[in-house]
Amino acid sequence: MRKIKFRAWDKENKEMVEVELLGKRVLLYKNGEWENIENFEVMQYTGLNDENGREIYEGDIARHATWGDIYEVIFEDGGFHVLSSYDFQTINEYPLEVIGNIYENPELLEGEK
């Protein structure tokens, strides 16, 4: 069974934070308090880990472990995919290495757009 997990980008404080699930709603728990969801960009765990064992989340930037191509991890059409300027594939078709995310490291995608 796939583990359902989330993380979120705190738009105000410019940092990644942990997210907890409460029932069927996604709520943010930060510094011992529940936060206002509108101040965050929520990203879901893909259920996969990269070549180094790091969890892969929607919004991550990953490098193909063999070819070196750079991809953004997205959720579209009911599934997780990798997207570059020339390629769109199901995420589990590639050996990936997470090298950043779209909020903290957008410059990693500049050559791909």
Side-chain angles (χ1 to χ4, degrees):
M1 185 164 85
R2 185 170 76 82
K3 196 181 247 188
I4 307 295
K5 295 171 63 171
F6 296 89
R7 70 176 184 195
W9 177 249
D10 181 335
K11 296 180 208 177
E12 184 176 321
N13 296 306
K14 307 285 189 234
E15 65 181 353
M16 204 63 74
V17 295
E18 291 183 26
V19 176
E20 291 187 21
L21 281 175
L22 183 64
K24 293 185 179 185
R25 291 187 47 196
V26 175
L27 297 174
L28 292 151
Y29 191 69
K30 181 180 171 191
N31 298 326
E33 296 186 17
W34 294 102
E35 297 282 337
N36 183 350
I37 194 80
E38 286 79 31
N39 296 331
F40 299 87
E41 293 291 333
V42 178
M43 295 158 273
Q44 187 172 359
Y45 173 51
T46 64
L48 301 171
N49 292 6
D50 75 359
E51 294 292 298
N52 299 313
R54 183 174 176 183
E55 294 177 339
I56 303 173
Y57 282 83
E58 169 185 14
D60 276 342
I61 299 171
R63 177 183 4 224
H64 190 288
T66 305
W67 305 326
D69 295 339
I70 305 295
Y71 300 98
E72 178 181 346
V73 177
I74 62 170
F75 183 83
E76 192 170 301
D77 297 329
F80 292 100
H81 303 275
V82 290
L83 174 69
S84 72
S85 60
Y86 60 89
D87 202 6
F88 175 85
Q89 294 290 329
T90 303
I91 192 171
N92 59 357
E93 294 184 18
Y94 294 122
L96 300 173
E97 175 187 8
V98 174
I99 57 173
N101 64 67
I102 61 174
Y103 300 102
E104 295 171 303
N105 317 100
E107 71 280 359
L108 294 173
L109 289 175
E110 286 177 7
E112 296 297 318
K113 300 290 182 191

